[in-house]
């Protein structure tokens, strides 16, 4: 088994259809994660990560093909990011990410089915997986999620595919307040980028996703207040995973007492030294 990370980032733009406006900023968030995540993955870094950023206008087949190709390549981790708006099938049991060109009548049929994504990840060649979700759900999809195991809510838990992120009910623009869209300010991807950039003062140099959750929730708090009670679902991975992320605050603290030349040498050494994964 090779080391490193296969990172697949899908920010699906649902196009000009007004009912799918919740996906309008998904491409922005996808670019943010594709640029920022590789350098923050402790065991791999930018040189040990292969990034697949799927075009926002791609259809479901192109998205699934990109994901399957990544899942077939040997790596230690498969990390997939889904950003956009969710639709539900008529029975309220299955979810799909809305893709370009969809209408309210065919959004589920044309979308990237959630169970396709999870099945591909489960049957991939990686040791571990992680699914990052920054999404909103329309009225019907949210109602299906709220029914838990009686509806699509059971899809938000899988023993082999931990979830990390946020799903919120999308009700469109509200008077006096902008909606928080996936990929936009106040979204999960926006908050994650901020937390990874600033780091966790006092924490170790390598932290797990669950260690970042309190700081993430603090960043998200102001946006969540606008949804009202029961309108947001936070998804938190457990403690069993071994994926570690760099804590930039710890690195800054360690270098704080060095002169500029010494600091530069330390950075160069860290970038050139071979990495023996701390979680191996």
């Amino acid at each position: 088994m090779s080391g490193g990370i296969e990172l697949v980032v899908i920010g699906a733009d649902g196009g000009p259809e007004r009912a799918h406006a919740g996906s309008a900023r998904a491409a922005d968030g996808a670019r943010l994660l594709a640029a920022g995540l590789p350098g923050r993955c402790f065991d791999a870094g930018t040189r040990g990560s292969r990034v697949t950023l799927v075009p926002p206008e791609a259809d479901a087949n192109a998205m699934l093909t990109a994901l399957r190709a990544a899942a077939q390549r040997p790596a230690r981790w498969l990390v997939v990011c889904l950003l956009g708006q969710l639709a539900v099938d008529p029975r309220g049991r299955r979810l799909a990410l809305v893709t370009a060109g969809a209408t309210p009548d065919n959004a589920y049929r044309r979308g990237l089915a959630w169970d396709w994504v999870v099945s591909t990840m489960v049957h991939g060649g990686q040791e571990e997986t992680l699914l990052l979700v920054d999404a909103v759900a329309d009225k019907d999809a949210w109602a299906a999620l709220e029914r838990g195991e009686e509806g699509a809510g059971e899809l938000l838990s899988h023993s082999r595919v931990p979830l990390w992120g946020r799903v919120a009910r999308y009700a469109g623009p509200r008077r006096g307040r902008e909606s928080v869209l996936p990929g936009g300010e106040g979204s999960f991807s926006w908050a994650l980028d901020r937390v990874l950039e600033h780091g966790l003062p006092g924490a170790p140099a390598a932290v797990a996703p669950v260690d970042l959750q309190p700081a993430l929730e603090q960043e998200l708090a102001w946006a969540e207040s606008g949804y009202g009670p029961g309108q947001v679902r936070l998804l938190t991975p457990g403690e069993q995973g071994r994926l570690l992320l760099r804590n930039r605050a710890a690195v800054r603290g360690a270098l704080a007492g060095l002169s500029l030349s010494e600091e530069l040498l330390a950075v160069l050494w860290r970038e050139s030294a071979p990495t023996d994964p701390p979680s191996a």
Side-chain angles (χ1 to χ4, degrees):
M1 178 66 66
S2 301
I5 294 174
E6 285 287 339
L7 175 64
V8 182
V9 187
I10 300 174
D13 187 341
E17 173 64 49
R18 184 176 180 180
H20 302 151
S23 65
R25 298 293 303 276
D28 298 335
R31 287 190 290 266
L32 194 69
L33 293 178
L37 275 177
R40 276 79 174 264
C41 294
F42 196 96
D43 291 359
T46 53
R47 289 173 297 176
S49 301
R50 186 198 302 263
V51 181
T52 303
L53 177 60
V54 181
E57 69 279 4
D59 62 18
N61 286 333
M63 293 176 178
L64 187 60
T65 298
L67 177 55
R68 284 175 172 169
Q72 291 170 2
R73 291 190 286 263
R76 182 167 294 184
W77 291 279
L78 174 61
V79 180
V80 178
C81 307
L82 293 184
L83 299 90
Q85 184 167 331
L86 299 175
V88 69
D89 74 307
R91 296 177 58 197
R93 300 284 309 195
R94 301 175 68 192
L95 294 172
L97 192 68
V98 176
T99 55
T103 67
D105 293 333
N106 65 16
Y108 173 77
R109 295 195 306 274
R110 294 189 56 149
L112 177 64
W114 184 287
D115 50 328
W116 292 355
V117 173
V118 172
S119 177
T120 302
M121 296 177 71
V122 167
H123 294 96
Q126 293 75 30
E127 295 178 9
E128 292 195 47
T129 62
L130 180 64
L131 178 56
L132 273 68
V133 182
D134 187 0
V136 290
D138 64 18
K139 179 181 67 174
D140 293 336
W142 185 258
L145 289 172
E146 288 290 274
R147 291 198 296 272
E149 295 185 358
E150 299 299 321
E154 66 177 351
L155 299 176
L156 299 186
S157 62
H158 194 288
S159 59
R160 293 179 58 187
V161 182
L163 298 182
W164 191 21
R166 179 174 69 177
V167 179
R169 179 178 178 181
Y170 179 64
R174 289 155 293 173
R175 180 176 298 179
R177 184 178 177 87
E178 291 290 331
S179 295
V180 177
L181 302 182
E185 186 174 0
S187 69
F188 175 79
S189 50
W190 170 89
L192 178 59
D193 186 72
R194 285 173 61 89
V195 169
L196 290 175
E197 176 65 26
H198 296 298
L200 298 178
V207 292
V210 69
D211 299 324
L212 299 176
Q213 194 64 25
L216 275 169
E217 292 181 12
Q218 185 174 359
E219 289 284 352
L220 294 170
W222 70 268
E224 289 176 11
S225 65
Y227 286 114
Q231 304 296 295
V232 175
R233 181 174 295 192
L234 294 178
L235 308 170
T236 308
E239 299 181 359
Q240 69 275 13
R242 294 176 293 172
L243 178 68
L244 297 176
L245 300 164
R246 298 180 189 272
N247 180 11
R248 291 173 64 89
V251 174
R252 284 193 296 268
L255 298 178
L258 300 179
S259 68
L260 180 60
S261 59
E262 291 171 330
E263 180 175 335
L264 178 59
L265 287 173
V267 171
L268 292 174
W269 175 86
R270 188 174 66 251
E271 290 296 322
S272 61
T275 58
D276 184 15
S279 60

